[in-house]
């Protein structure tokens, strides 16, 4: 008979003594349990002791966290958080350098524990650490441990960052502004400044005054990618918190300091592969840079503003080679109207009206003017080429440019805040100072080319834009390293190639409607679903690595989860770094019996998606989030690294719970494998043989060995 759910069997260690194997009654006060443990080793003063986990972060166990203890957990009897905080505070203020160093080293480790942190802060421990930093008398390891402890303590959110003194900020900024400083001190200083900027508007202003942008950029030119990551994270934080009316100014300052070129040469094209956290910071910078376009995107054109109307006139002048101004007003108006119609405006009588919708607003006109001035030959060729076609096949440049700008804003999510879990940066946008405009120029040429390939008319406008969107998104998914490589990718994605890809993808979804085929599908579908189910469970047994979200310092923290080979236990645990390959069960210290699992939640129903985040939880995060609910009323929360892993895990967990597999990946795999199996069986029915062919592929579903390439 299984033990009651409120009884947990654990081992408790104490230095120099044999471990105690006890059963903890979760209904019993924790103080009583500690007293019994102390009595077992004849230790007096049980109120001076506490229980901590022996493995992993070694956190203290409290009445609030005791429910997380599992059968088989190894605990350690330790001095209480209050006693530990008092002892460490005394040792930190001692005169012996060695004793102070050891105390700070231990403090840096213990400060990650919220229970200890609360006690230490209540004893004015933070103020003590701040004074040590402000004194400027600590260097090397001693200073590094001090800064680590300070950052860990502040990260709990127990006290406000607004309480930080100006002298402390100056001291930390000084470490960052120094050309030569210890790597560990620099790393922690950058992290502290980033947290200040993100968590306090007043501190943002002080940090912005103290920090030297040139020195921040200099830190991007070192070989240490962690320093580069923290430096660019601080740049992003400053960028994010800069008032909107000053962001263009900051962007200009960064451009003058050659930020883009330094990132391209020292990070993207550097000697080391870009790690996940650096990829996230590059993505954030990409988003913040494109968000500078939002003001123009949301600005309507004023038809009565002569300066804005002059831009449209300039487009006409460049296209038609500065034709001499005709004599009369009416004649001039008629010629202008004709020219604006040839330019493809929807309102040739008053083309300013074409730019009154937002988005894309004035941003579309900016793009058109950039093309006309910087790529004049291309612009003239597109306009004149279409003005000489038959009316029904001409590609309306103005209308296309406006709709294309709207589409590109949507694809690149201009105006959206960065997504905390996204690493989707595009290297090519770091290869040109005017990457957005150049991207538009490449895409408008694609649109013109596709229009011709489709032999489109005005009625086909939306159809053409749908194809162009597919061409662009497919090319972006290939992550071309440069704009020139983007051109190459887009050339290969011609209209005929898009049709071929669509047809190929549709073939796997063809549903023959004749009764024998329907009957055959119904007969073999359970076999295929069982095959898919087994594949999902096998993948869960291999396990996956997940990134921990929500840490304000953006340190790379990971955890790994995998299913036991007998499908009865889910093992998981924290990792210091992203693993290369499979993680042994022995390293995963936590586990959940499958029998305790109640349900799998997805998207906004997940507990961790209801919590607030420093950055916007946008649609992409919601689409990758899932949670396991298990007894007693606990949740294990996930954010998958990509859509493929999300589908694998939600399918696998559903299979464990005896639920139907319902992900997009399952539907795709089911259609693909059903199509393959049906073709093989129909081939058998027709007795078709191929001379000198290899042996036929086995038909039993269990023999399939298929892999995925899921977007």
């Amino acid at each position: 008979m299984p033990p009651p759910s409120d009884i947990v069997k654990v081992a408790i260690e104490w230095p120099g003594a044999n471990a105690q194997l006890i059963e903890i009654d979760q209904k019993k006060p924790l103080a009583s349990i500690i007293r019994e443990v102390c009595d077992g080793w004849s230790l007096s003063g049980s109120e001076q002791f506490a229980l901590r986990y022996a493995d992993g972060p070694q956190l203290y166990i409290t009445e609030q966290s005791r429910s997380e203890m599992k059968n088989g957990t190894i605990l350690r009897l330790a001095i209480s958080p209050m006693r530990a905080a008092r002892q460490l505070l005394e040792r930190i203020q001692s005169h012996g350098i060695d004793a102070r160093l050891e105390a700070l080293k231990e403090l840096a480790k213990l400060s990650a524990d919220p229970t200890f942190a609360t006690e230490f802060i209540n004893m004015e421990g933070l103020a003590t650490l701040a004074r040590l930093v402000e004194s400027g008398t600590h260097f090397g390891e001693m200073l590094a441990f001090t800064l680590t402890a300070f950052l860990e303590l502040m990260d709990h959110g127990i006290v406000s960052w607004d309480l930080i003194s100006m002298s402390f900020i100056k001291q930390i900024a000084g470490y960052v502004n120094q050309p030569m400083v210890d790597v560990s001190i620099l790393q922690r200083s950058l992290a502290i400044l980033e947290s200040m900027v993100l968590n306090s508007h007043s501190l943002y202003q002080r940090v912005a005054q103290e920090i030297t942008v040139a020195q921040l950029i200099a830190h991007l030119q070192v070989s240490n990618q962690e320093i580069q990551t923290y430096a660019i994270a601080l740049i992003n934080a400053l960028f994010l918190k800069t008032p909107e009316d000053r962001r263009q100014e900051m962007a200009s300052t960064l451009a003058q300091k050659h930020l883009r070129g330094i990132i391209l040469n020292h990070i993207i094209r550097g000697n080391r592969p870009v790690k996940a956290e650096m990829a996230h910071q590059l993505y954030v910078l990409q988003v913040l840079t494109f968000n500078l376009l939002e003001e123009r995107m949301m600005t309507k054109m004023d038809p009565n503003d002569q300066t804005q109307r002059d831009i449209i006139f300039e487009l006409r002048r460049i296209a038609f080679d500065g034709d001499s101004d005709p004599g009369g007003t009416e004649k001039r108006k008629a010629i202008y109207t004709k020219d604006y119609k040839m330019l493809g405006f929807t309102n040739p009588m008053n083309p300013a009206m074409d730019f009154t919708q937002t988005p894309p607003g004035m941003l579309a006109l900016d793009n058109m003017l950039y093309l006309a001035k910087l790529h004049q030959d291309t612009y003239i060729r597109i306009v004149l080429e279409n003005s000489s076609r038959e009316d029904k096949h001409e590609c309306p440049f103005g209308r296309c440019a406006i709709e294309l700008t709207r589409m590109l804003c949507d694809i690149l999510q201009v105006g959206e805040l960065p997504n905390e879990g996204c690493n989707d940066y595009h290297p090519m946008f770091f290869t040109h100072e005017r990457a957005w405009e150049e991207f538009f120029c490449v895409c408008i040429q694609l649109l013109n080319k596709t229009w011709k390939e489709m032999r489109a008319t005005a009625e086909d406008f939306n159809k053409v834009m749908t194809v162009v969107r597919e061409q662009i998104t497919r090319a972006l998914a290939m992550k071309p390293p440069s704009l020139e490589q983007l051109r190459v990718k887009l050339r290969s994605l011609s209209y005929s190639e898009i049709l071929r890809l669509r047809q190929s993808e549709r073939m796997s979804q063809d549903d023959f409607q004749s009764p024998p085929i329907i009957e055959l599908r119904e007969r073999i579908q359970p076999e295929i679903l069982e095959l898919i189910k087994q594949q999902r469970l096998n993948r869960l047994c291999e396990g996956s690595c997940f990134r921990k979200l929500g840490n304000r310092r953006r340190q790379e923290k990971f955890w790994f989860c995998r299913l036991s080979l007998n499908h009865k236990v889910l093992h998981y645990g924290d990792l210091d770094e992203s693993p290369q390959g499979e993680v042994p069960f022995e390293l995963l210290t936590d586990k959940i019996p499958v029998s305790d699992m109640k349900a799998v939640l997805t998207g906004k129903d997940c507990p961790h998606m209801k919590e607030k985040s420093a950055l916007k939880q946008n649609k992409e995060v919601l689409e990758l989030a899932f949670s396991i609910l298990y007894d007693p009323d606990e949740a294990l929360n996930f954010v998958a690294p990509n859509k493929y892993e999300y589908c694998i895990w939600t399918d696998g967990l559903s299979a464990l719970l005896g639920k139907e597999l319902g992900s997009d990946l399952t539907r795709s795999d089911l259609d693909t494998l059903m199509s393959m199996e049906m073709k093989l069986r129909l081939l058998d029915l027709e007795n078709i043989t191929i001379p000198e062919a290899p042996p036929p592929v086995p038909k039993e579903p269990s023999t399939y060995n298929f892999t995925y390439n899921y977007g």
Side-chain angles (χ1 to χ4, degrees), residues 189-234:
S189 298
L190 288 166
I192 289 171
L193 292 176
E194 184 200 2
S195 289
M196 287 181 184
V197 171
L198 289 176
N199 289 284
S200 168
H201 179 69
S202 61
L203 289 190
Y204 150 73
Q205 294 176 319
R206 295 175 186 175
V207 171
Q209 291 171 358
E210 293 296 325
I211 209 70
T212 306
V213 173
Q215 191 58 47
L216 271 185
I217 293 177
H219 292 316
L220 299 178
Q221 301 176 62
V222 301
S223 58
N224 186 318
Q225 191 170 124
E226 284 198 2
I227 295 297
Q228 292 175 321
T229 303
Y230 279 102
I232 200 168
L234 179 52

Side-chain angles (χ1 to χ4, degrees), residues 14 35 72 74 103 185 233 291 311 358 377 409 426 520 539 629 656:
W14 175 255
R35 188 182 307 114
I74 300 176
I185 294 171
N291 281 356
I311 299 175
T358 58
D377 291 344
C409 288
H426 294 277
L520 179 58
R539 275 290 290 110
L629 298 187
L656 287 174

Side-chain angles (χ1 to χ4, degrees), residues 391-652:
D391 280 350
K392 66 175 184 176
H393 288 299
E394 65 181 13
C395 177
F397 169 75
R399 183 184 177 192
C400 288
I402 292 169
E403 186 57 36
L404 177 64
T405 301
R406 190 194 334 269
M407 179 196 297
L408 297 183
C409 288
D410 183 52
I411 291 173
L412 296 176
Q413 298 182 322
V414 174
E416 293 286 331
L417 283 174
N419 164 16
E420 191 173 353
C422 186
N423 301 337
D424 189 24
Y425 82 100
H426 294 277
M428 69 177 185
F429 290 132
F430 292 87
T431 63
H432 201 285
E433 290 294 348
R434 304 292 295 273
W436 165 263
E437 291 87 348
E438 289 294 320
F439 182 46
F440 168 83
C441 293
V442 171
C443 293
I444 194 69
Q445 294 176 71
L446 167 73
L447 196 159
N448 188 59
K449 171 175 169 285
T450 302
W451 187 284
K452 288 189 289 185
E453 291 173 348
M454 294 178 67
R455 292 193 54 78
T457 63
E459 290 74 22
D460 301 316
F461 183 84
N462 291 334
K463 193 181 299 182
V464 174
M465 296 308 296
T466 300
V467 173
V468 169
R469 186 186 185 98
E470 185 173 345
Q471 290 170 314
I472 293 170
T473 52
R474 285 182 183 269
L476 286 177
M478 301 178 198
K479 294 294 178 71
S482 66
L483 288 160
E484 188 53 45
Q485 282 297 310
L486 174 67
R487 292 179 191 272
V488 173
K489 302 292 185 189
L490 290 173
R491 275 198 294 269
S492 68
L493 289 168
S494 62
Y495 176 54
S496 59
E497 177 64 11
I498 291 294
L499 290 179
R500 188 193 69 77
L501 290 170
R502 286 179 176 179
Q503 179 64 23
S504 175
E505 291 164 2
R506 259 198 305 266
M507 282 179 64
S508 64
Q509 301 172 4
D510 282 345
D511 186 10
F512 304 108
Q513 297 302 316
S514 63
I517 298 298
I518 294 174
E519 183 182 346
L520 179 58
R521 285 179 63 87
E522 291 175 350
R523 189 187 312 153
I524 66 176
Q525 182 166 315
E527 301 174 13
I528 302 298
L529 281 173
E530 182 61 27
L531 171 64
I532 294 173
K533 174 183 172 182
Q534 290 304 318
Q535 190 273 343
R536 301 296 193 262
L537 293 173
N538 289 341
R539 275 290 290 110
L540 263 61
C541 291
E542 294 172 10
S544 298
C545 181
F546 300 90
R547 181 175 175 270
K548 284 195 170 184
L549 300 181
N551 49 78
R552 290 188 287 274
R553 301 199 306 282
R554 305 206 187 288
Q555 290 175 317
E556 288 189 80
K557 292 187 177 180
F558 303 92
W559 65 288
F560 198 88
C561 188
R562 63 181 297 200
L563 180 65
S564 63
L565 300 181
N566 62 6
H567 300 175
K568 291 185 177 181
V569 179
L570 207 59
H571 298 262
Y572 64 97
D574 293 342
L575 300 175
D576 293 330
E577 56 184 20
S578 183
Q580 302 297 321
E582 200 173 86
V583 176
F585 289 110
E586 299 76 40
L587 298 181
L588 305 176
T589 55
D590 298 304
K591 55 188 176 182
I592 300 173
V594 171
S595 59
D596 287 352
M597 290 167 49
K598 295 179 178 178
V600 177
L601 302 180
T602 60
K604 63 184 179 181
D605 295 327
C606 298
H608 58 316
M609 290 296 103
K610 297 176 182 177
E611 299 169 0
K612 293 184 178 179
S613 168
L615 295 178
K616 185 178 180 182
Q617 290 287 12
N618 66 16
K619 183 180 178 183
E620 188 170 351
V621 172
L622 290 174
E623 288 179 346
L624 297 177
F626 62 98
S627 300
I628 300 172
L629 298 187
Y630 63 97
D631 287 333
D633 300 323
E634 298 290 336
L636 183 63
N637 299 316
F638 300 73
V639 175
N642 51 54
K643 190 68 174 177
Y644 168 72
E645 290 289 341
Y646 170 85
C647 293
I648 287 291
W649 275 85
T650 53
D651 278 347

Side-chain angles (χ1 to χ4, degrees), residues 89-90 92-93 100 104 120-121 123-139 142-143 146-147 150 163-169 171-172 175:
L89 195 56
E90 292 172 356
I92 287 168
Q93 298 175 86
R100 191 185 303 176
L104 287 168
F120 189 79
I121 290 171
M123 295 176 186
E124 300 297 324
L126 259 178
T128 301
L129 294 181
R131 286 194 296 271
L132 291 177
V133 174
E134 291 168 11
S135 69
T137 57
H138 285 57
F139 304 97
M142 192 173 291
L143 178 58
T146 303
L147 296 178
F150 182 88
L163 299 176
I164 303 302
S165 70
M166 193 62 207
S167 58
F168 182 87
I169 296 171
Q171 193 68 38
I172 298 297
Y175 298 136

